[in-house]
Every structure is written in C-alpha cells, then in structure tokens.
C-alpha cells in the first residue's frame, strides 16, 4: 500500500519553472500508468517549446546570482537540500515505486538514500572547485593561475529507469559548480524529478536554479538541446537517441556529455568462487528488473565452471519473488510499461530459434507488465541476444576457453559502460581490469557505486562522467589568468615582434 496521491500533488501541473508548478502548454497530454496494475495514475499536460523557453529564461535569470554566490553559500544551501530530501524520503520512495513499478525496498534502500548521499557529497564538493597554477614565467615576474568557472545554463535529459537518481546525477554537479539547469526527465516518470526540484526550493536554493520540463523527446527534448541560450547538453539515455542529440548539440556548438546504453559483460574465470559468482550474476542481471545500464547482461564462464554456473543461476532465478512493488518482500517488480515488456519478450522469443531458454521466457498471468527472470544459453556471440541492449530481466550465458578469449568476447560489442571479472587470482584480475574496455570494471562484484566514484562510458556508451569530483570537468570551464607583476612595457618578447622600437 502507498499513500502517495499524484493527482493531488500535481494538480497545479507537472512542470517546475522558476520555483513553482505550472501546466504544460504543448496541447498534448501524457497518462502516467502504474506498470504493476496497468491503472492510470495521472494524466498531465506535456511541456512544449514555449515551456522550455520559459524554463531556460528562468535559469538564465537565476544564473548571475547563483554563479556569484560563494562556494560556501552554495554548499550551505545544498546541505539543506540534502536534509529536505532526507525528510521526504518515504514520500520520494513511494512516488518512485509507483511510477516505475520498482520494489519499495529498492526505492527505500537504494534510490532515495543514494540521492541524499549524492546531494551531501556535492554540497561538500562545491567547496573543492580548485584551479591550479599554470607555472611561472619570466623569473617569477608573472603570476599565472587557472580559474574553474561555471559555464551557464545547462540542459539535461534523463531516462525513466532511475528518475530520482538521474535527476540527482544531472542537477547536483551542475549547480554545485554554479550553473543553473533545465532538466527534462522522461515523460513516463515525471514525479520524483519534480519533487526533487521542490525540495531544492524548500532548502532555499533560489527560484530558477533548478527547473523541470516534462515533455516528449521529439518536442521538448529537441527544443532544449537546440536552444541558443543553453550552453551544454548532458544526456542519459539510449545510444540511438544520443546520436540524434549529439547532432543537434553540435549544430549549436554546445558542450556535450553523453551517458548511453550498455551491455555489461560478467566474466567468470575457472578459479572463481562459484557461489559468489552465481549470486552476483542473478543480482547484477535483475537489479531494477534488468533496466539498468550497468546490469550484467552477458555472462562468459570458463568451460570447467560453465554447466554448474548455468544450473546455479537457473535455480536461483527460480526463487526470485515477483510481486506488488509495495510489498516489502517483493524482489522483482514489473518492467516500466507493457510495450517495453513486449519488446523484451520479443528478444527472448526470437532467441528460441538460435539458443536455449533455460528458465523464464514468459510473462506471468497478471495485468501488470511483469516478465519472469530469464536465462538464455548457447547463443552465438554475434546473435541479437548477445549484442543488443534488451533492458529487461534477461541474462545470456556463453562459455569460453582461454583467458584471452574471455576478455576478447567481453569487449566484442559496441558498448563499454561497465563489466565485472570473477577470479581469486590477482594477476587475472589485473589483466581483466586493464584489458576490458569499459568505464567501470568490478572485481568479484557487480553494480555497487558510491557518490565519490565516477560513472561513465567508453565506446558507444558515451563520454564524460556523472558523480564524483570528475563530473566537475563537464560542468566547468577553465580560464587561464596571467598577471605581469612588474608592469614593464617593453619586454624581450615584445622586441621579438616589434624590433627595438
Ligand atoms: P531514451 O533514449 O529513449 O530516452 C531518454 C530521454 O531522451 C527521455 O527523456 C526521452 O524523452 C528523451 N528523448 C527521446 N528522443 C529525444 C530526442 N529526439 N531529442 C531529445 N531527447 C529525446 O532512453 P530510455 O528508454 O528513457 O532509457 C533507457 C536507456 O537509457 C537505455 O539505453 C539505458 O542503457 C540508458 N541509460 C544509460 C545510463 C548511463 O549512465 N549510461 C543510465 C541509465 C539509462
């Protein structure tokens, strides 16, 4: 059971511009559907270009004040922001579970605390925005230093799989560095991004620093990316949409940060702790019903452990409890929507012609968008199930022989977001962490990440970093400043150009 009432909460609209909720003006509506029941939860007016313009204008007018605030002032406001989020933890958890179908225990123990922690991290990090000296010149008569400056109004676009955490990952480093932001969450999942922005206002972060436009990608999304007053686009979503976003951003000379799709390999060497690997694979594949860009999707298992691994994973998957997201005992909720569930089922159905579905492979008889945990074995490396991002509770398992083969197969997709290696041998672990081309390689684990750790892809998974102090690279620009301390007009180097005049 939940007490979150979306219709009451967003009666004034599902846009958050200049510190208040407003109605979208696109002339189109969107129905948010509870994927666990198929029931409509809220129909709201989508944002269109006019709303994006209003949000960008609000962010632009807030920029001078916010960017001029001292790091300490921004930090204080963000510490209060973390406290506001913490006070609203149960409300946020319920809203997240309702719109995503996410098990409440995941929202309570992962999404919400992760967001509060992220806010506290960036509140502290706001005071660590240091530049460096660029060295001396002319025997110390010159002083050179580097200023790390905010860049302006940031336009961010986020997906539906972790709406609250994605809002945090986009907004926090941007505002900690002194920028203002317009975030477009997925139109499927507007609630917690709006509530996040409301908490910012309650914390005293000035109106216009954080704005939310909930509109469709082709309409509000493209308008935000192409907007002339937006200096940067930070996008998290699929690689296909990321390419389109990059085209528009490039045409308007914007800084670009892309967090795109993934197809994480899970490489089990023959000396691994089998039980740990089996548990890691099931948890890593099923987290958030497999709708996680770093989820374990391709398990490569060295031949001596292969059969036991397949058997162990199938058995453990059989114990996973599908159910009502608001039942604390539920392990696995529905997928985000019925069309997405059907898309996932399509991948598995096609795989039956070229591989073996060991367990799962069906939707239970239920009105929600559920799908059983699924293990596919014996697929070829170049098959669709191994290469494409399925984004559901589906793990594919393949055997390998030599260590070099395992690593080669792990690298053999266009993606490079995350990976894991399972072994007790430090040399094998070191080789895997060095040779696997991904932005993150776990050893004997898969999934955990904390605020101080960078997240971002290699290859078609994008570029740039979310979280950690590294994310400031995306949201700041470097200015070199040089003082001539002597103010002597005619320098040697002037003579090089003008001669002795
Ligand atoms: P998506 O690419 O369909 O949509 C992402 C966002 O882009 C949404 O807000 C959508 O409205 C918007 N959008 C769609 N078309 C657009 C356009 N033409 N112009 C501007 N914006 C547009 O992705 P999704 O289905 O919401 O999310 C799942 C995808 O996100 C998966 O591919 C997953 O791997 C990826 N993802 C990546 C990361 C990461 O950190 N790399 C994290 C989470 C999700």
């Amino acid at each position: 059971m939940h007490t979150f009432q979306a219709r009451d909460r967003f009666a004034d609209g599902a846009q958050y511009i200049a510190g208040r909720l407003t109605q979208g003006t696109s002339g189109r509506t969107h129905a948010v559907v509870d994927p666990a029941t198929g029931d409509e939860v809220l129909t709201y007016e989508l944002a269109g270009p006019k709303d994006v313009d209003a949000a960008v204008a609000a962010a632009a007018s807030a920029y001078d004040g916010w960017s001029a605030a001292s790091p300490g002032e921004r930090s204080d406001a963000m510490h209060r922001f973390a406290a506001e989020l913490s006070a609203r933890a149960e409300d946020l958890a319920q809203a997240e579970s309702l719109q995503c179908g996410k098990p409440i225990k995941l929202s309570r123990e992962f999404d919400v605390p992760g967001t509060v922690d992220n806010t506290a991290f960036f509140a502290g990090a706001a005071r660590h925005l240091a530049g460096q000296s660029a060295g001396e010149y002319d025997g110390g008569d010159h002083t050179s230093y580097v200023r790390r400056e905010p860049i302006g109004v940031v336009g961010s676009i986020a997906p539906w799989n972790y709406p609250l955490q994605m809002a945090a990952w986009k907004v926090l480093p941007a505002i900690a560095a002194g920028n203002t932001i317009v975030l477009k969450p997925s139109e499927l999942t507007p609630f917690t991004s709006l509530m996040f922005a409301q908490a910012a206002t309650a914390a005293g972060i000035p109106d216009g620093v954080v704005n939310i436009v909930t509109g469709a990608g082709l309409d509000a999304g493209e308008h935000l990316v192409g907007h002339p007053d937006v200096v940067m686009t930070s996008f998290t979503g699929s690689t296909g949409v990321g390419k389109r976003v990059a085209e528009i951003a490039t045409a308007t000379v914007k800084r670009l940060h892309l967090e795109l799709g993934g197809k994480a390999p899970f490489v089990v060497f023959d000396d691994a702790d089998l039980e740990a690997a089996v548990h890691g694979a099931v948890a890593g594949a099923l987290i958030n019903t497999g709708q996680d860009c770093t989820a374990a999707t391709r398990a490569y298992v060295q031949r001596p452990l292969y059969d036991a691994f397949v058997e162990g994973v199938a058995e453990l998957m059989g114990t996973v409890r599908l159910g009502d997201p608001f039942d604390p005992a539920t392990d696995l909720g529905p997928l985000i929507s019925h069309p997405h569930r059907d898309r996932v089922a399509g991948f598995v159905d096609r795989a039956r012609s070229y591989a073996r579905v060991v367990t799962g492979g069906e939707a239970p008889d239920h009105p929600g968008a559920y799908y059983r945990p699924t293990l596919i074995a014996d697929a070829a490396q170049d098959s669709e199930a191994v290469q494409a991002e399925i984004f559901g509770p589906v793990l594919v398992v393949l055997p390998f022989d030599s260590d070099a083969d395992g690593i080669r197969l792990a690298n053999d997709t266009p993606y490079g977001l995350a990976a894991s290696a399972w072994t007790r041998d430090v040399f094998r672990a070191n080789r895997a962490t060095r040779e696997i081309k991904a932005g993150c390689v776990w050893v004997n684990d898969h999934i955990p990440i904390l605020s101080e750790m960078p997240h971002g892809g290699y290859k078609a998974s994008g570029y740039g970093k979310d979280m950690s102090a590294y994310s400031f690279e995306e949201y700041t620009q470097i200015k070199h400043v040089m003082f001539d301390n002597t103010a002597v007009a005619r320098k040697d180097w002037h003579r090089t150009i003008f001669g002795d005049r």
Side-chain angles (χ1 to χ4, degrees):
M1 271 297 290
H2 64 86
T3 53
F4 180 80
Q5 296 297 334
R7 288 195 185 93
D8 296 347
R9 201 59 77 85
F10 302 113
D12 292 334
Q15 316 301 325
Y16 196 76
I17 299 172
R20 63 186 191 93
L21 290 172
T22 60
Q23 303 287 352
T25 64
S26 69
R28 291 192 297 140
T29 57
H30 179 82
V32 179
V33 171
D34 175 354
T37 59
D39 295 341
E40 184 203 316
V41 177
L42 173 77
T43 294
Y44 70 95
E45 304 281 339
L46 286 163
K50 270 202 219 150
D51 308 297
V52 172
D53 289 347
V56 171
S61 67
Y63 179 73
D64 285 350
W66 184 247
S67 60
S70 70
E73 287 165 338
R74 287 200 291 267
S75 174
D76 285 352
M78 291 182 69
H79 278 299
R80 294 194 300 272
F81 187 9
E84 286 291 339
L85 291 167
S86 200
R88 296 155 193 235
E90 178 59 20
D91 203 27
L92 287 162
Q94 290 193 12
E96 194 75 328
S97 283
L98 182 64
Q99 66 183 353
C100 300
K102 212 182 277 269
I104 191 72
K105 70 179 174 193
L106 189 67
S107 299
R108 283 183 183 145
E109 291 168 27
F110 184 69
D111 297 73
V112 175
T115 300
V116 172
D117 184 63
N118 222 241
T119 313
F121 173 81
F122 280 105
R127 303 184 82 152
H128 280 271
L129 276 167
Q132 289 179 325
S133 164
E136 284 193 342
Y137 173 63
D138 211 9
D141 283 349
H142 289 67
T143 303
S144 158
Y145 66 91
V146 168
R147 288 173 55 84
R148 190 178 275 279
E149 297 184 338
I151 53 178
V153 176
V154 173
S156 287
I157 295 184
W160 44 256
N161 59 340
Y162 292 102
L164 179 61
Q165 295 205 77
M166 290 299 110
W169 291 16
K170 296 298 175 204
V171 168
L172 297 168
I175 68 169
N179 303 286
T180 56
I181 187 165
V182 177
L183 169 73
K184 193 201 86 61
S186 167
E187 59 275 36
L188 275 61
T189 52
F191 303 159
T192 48
S193 311
L194 294 164
M195 294 159 76
F196 182 76
Q198 288 176 311
T201 303
I205 292 179
D207 293 351
V209 172
V210 181
N211 306 277
I212 310 291
V213 287
T214 56
L218 285 175
D219 188 15
E222 294 206 358
H223 193 69
L224 179 61
V225 179
H227 200 292
D229 297 336
V230 171
V231 293
M232 169 180 173
T233 298
S234 178
F235 172 84
T236 297
S238 59
T239 298
V241 174
K243 287 179 184 168
R244 171 75 187 133
V245 164
E247 277 173 15
I248 303 171
T250 303
T252 50
V253 198
K254 283 190 176 55
R255 185 183 282 221
L256 194 55
H257 170 205
L258 296 175
E259 296 284 359
L260 306 178
K263 186 77 183 175
F266 185 103
V267 185
V268 184
F269 293 98
D270 59 13
D271 66 319
D273 177 331
L274 181 66
E275 195 189 342
V278 164
H279 277 84
V282 174
L286 300 186
I287 178 137
N288 209 34
T289 319
Q291 301 163 122
D292 182 307
C293 50
T294 62
T297 57
R298 302 175 284 141
Y300 296 99
V301 184
Q302 211 153 18
R303 194 88 53 186
L305 292 188
Y306 183 73
D307 290 341
F309 181 89
V310 171
E311 196 181 317
V313 167
E315 196 182 312
L316 192 57
M317 278 184 167
T319 68
V320 169
R321 288 175 301 240
L322 275 69
D324 174 3
F326 286 95
D327 179 347
T330 293
D331 299 320
L332 202 73
L335 289 142
I336 187 68
S337 66
H338 291 78
H340 184 56
R341 192 266 308 272
D342 296 346
R343 181 181 167 275
V344 168
F347 279 109
V348 178
D349 291 343
R350 290 190 293 280
R352 289 179 211 284
S353 67
Y354 60 79
R356 180 164 60 98
V357 177
V358 182
T359 188
E362 59 170 10
D365 184 15
H366 190 282
Y370 288 90
Y371 198 73
R372 291 200 192 284
T374 299
L375 181 65
I376 298 175
D378 308 336
Q381 173 67 17
D382 63 357
S383 64
E384 181 189 60
V386 178
Q387 294 292 324
E389 189 180 34
I390 298 174
F391 226 54
V394 180
L395 179 67
V396 186
V397 56
L398 297 90
F400 69 91
D401 291 307
S402 70
D403 288 18
D405 269 352
I407 291 171
R408 180 182 57 76
L409 293 167
N411 283 331
D412 181 28
T413 73
Y415 298 110
L417 190 58
S420 62
W422 295 73
T423 174
R424 293 174 162 109
D425 178 336
V426 70
F427 299 105
R428 276 176 149 169
N430 270 330
R431 178 178 181 186
T433 56
R434 221 174 31 245
E435 295 185 7
I436 292 177
K437 305 278 181 277
C440 168
V441 183
W442 288 283
V443 176
N444 297 329
D445 210 338
H446 198 109
I447 293 295
I449 183 162
L450 299 178
S451 303
E452 58 270 39
M453 301 166 191
H455 167 84
Y458 281 22
K459 297 160 62 183
S461 294
Y463 44 80
K465 296 294 172 196
D466 279 325
M467 312 236 283
S468 82
Y470 292 97
S471 64
F472 282 138
E473 301 298 330
E474 318 304 328
Y475 295 101
T476 55
Q477 54 196 346
I478 299 297
K479 179 184 282 173
H480 175 233
V481 179
M482 176 116 92
F483 277 89
D484 180 341
N485 299 318
T486 63
V488 175
R490 297 179 65 200
K491 301 284 184 192
D492 283 352
W493 78 266
H494 292 180
R495 290 194 182 92
T496 312
I497 295 173
F498 300 124
D500 205 7
R501 276 182 274 156

